[in-house]
């Protein structure tokens, strides 16, 4: 598997990406069961082929305005440390090789420990924000 492959998705009007290494599947929006007394960004859990998977709303986690699910909404399911976790995103776009030479890190060097952003990739006429899923989860 290519270590420079990313799943590109949209939140609000921005492009984001996470490394494909841990992505198990991308699912259409499905019924999410709320779990009482959880953080606001935790939407609940889904039953994914018999496995209970917690689901995070990435819009809320990243401080963006909440949005109702629509036909484009997807849940990106990642496997981290033997735990499955789902991320609700507005839509998925593509799987793309992003060469490390087009990733800018310097603008985040001072605040890197306080952000979910690993860097920004320049891809033709768009910018893609690369997310650190461990930090999104608080690991």
């Amino acid at each position: 598997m290519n270590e420079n492959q990313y799943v590109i998705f949209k939140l609000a009007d921005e492009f984001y990406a996470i490394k494909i290494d841990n992505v198990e599947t991308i699912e259409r929006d499905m019924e999410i069961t709320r779990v009482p007394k959880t953080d606001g960004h935790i939407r609940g859990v889904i039953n994914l082929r018999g496995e209970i998977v917690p689901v995070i709303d990435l819009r809320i986690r990243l401080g963006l305005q909440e949005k109702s699910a629509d036909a484009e909404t997807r849940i990106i399911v990642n496997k981290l440390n033997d735990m499955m976790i789902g991320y609700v995103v507005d839509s998925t776009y593509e799987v793309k090789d992003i060469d490390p030479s087009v990733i800018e890190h310097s603008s985040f060097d001072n605040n890197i420990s306080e952000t979910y952003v690993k860097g920004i990739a320049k891809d033709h006429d768009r910018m893609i924000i690369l997310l650190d899923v461990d930090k999104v989860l608080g690991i």
Side-chain angles (χ1 to χ4, degrees):
M1 184 178 291
N2 187 328
E3 62 189 45
N4 297 323
Q5 281 196 326
Y6 290 81
V7 173
I8 298 175
F9 57 91
K10 267 188 121 169
L11 292 173
D13 291 321
E14 304 296 332
F15 289 97
Y16 291 81
I18 58 173
K19 282 196 155 228
I20 198 169
D21 300 0
N22 300 318
V23 174
E24 290 286 311
T25 182
I26 298 173
E27 300 288 330
R28 292 188 180 281
D29 193 40
M30 59 180 66
E31 185 178 333
I32 298 174
T33 303
R34 295 275 316 150
V35 178
K37 297 192 181 216
T38 54
D39 291 338
H41 64 275
I42 299 174
R43 288 270 295 274
V45 295
I46 57 172
N47 180 347
L48 185 65
R49 295 181 275 289
E51 188 163 348
I52 301 300
V53 178
V55 177
I56 290 176
D57 188 320
L58 268 186
R59 271 181 169 260
I60 296 171
R61 184 67 171 151
L62 300 178
L64 302 171
Q65 186 172 343
E66 202 169 342
K67 177 181 179 275
S68 297
D70 60 27
E72 297 294 312
T73 302
R74 297 291 181 267
I75 300 173
I76 300 174
V77 179
N78 256 19
K79 189 167 195 160
L80 292 171
N81 307 325
D82 294 328
M83 182 179 88
M84 301 275 268
I85 186 108
Y87 302 103
V88 176
V89 301
D90 293 354
S91 60
T92 52
Y93 262 68
E94 61 186 314
V95 172
K96 184 171 184 65
D97 282 339
I98 299 178
D99 191 284
S101 68
V102 302
I103 299 173
E104 177 70 44
H105 299 280
S106 61
S107 54
F108 299 99
D109 286 347
N110 296 333
N111 300 320
I112 199 74
S113 63
E114 300 161 23
T115 180
Y116 304 127
V117 177
K118 277 187 170 176
I120 306 263
K122 297 176 284 274
D123 181 48
H124 304 292
D125 60 345
R126 66 182 175 181
M127 304 290 256
I128 302 170
I129 301 165
L130 307 180
L131 291 181
D132 183 334
V133 289
D134 287 347
K135 287 194 177 152
V136 168
L137 290 175
I139 296 175

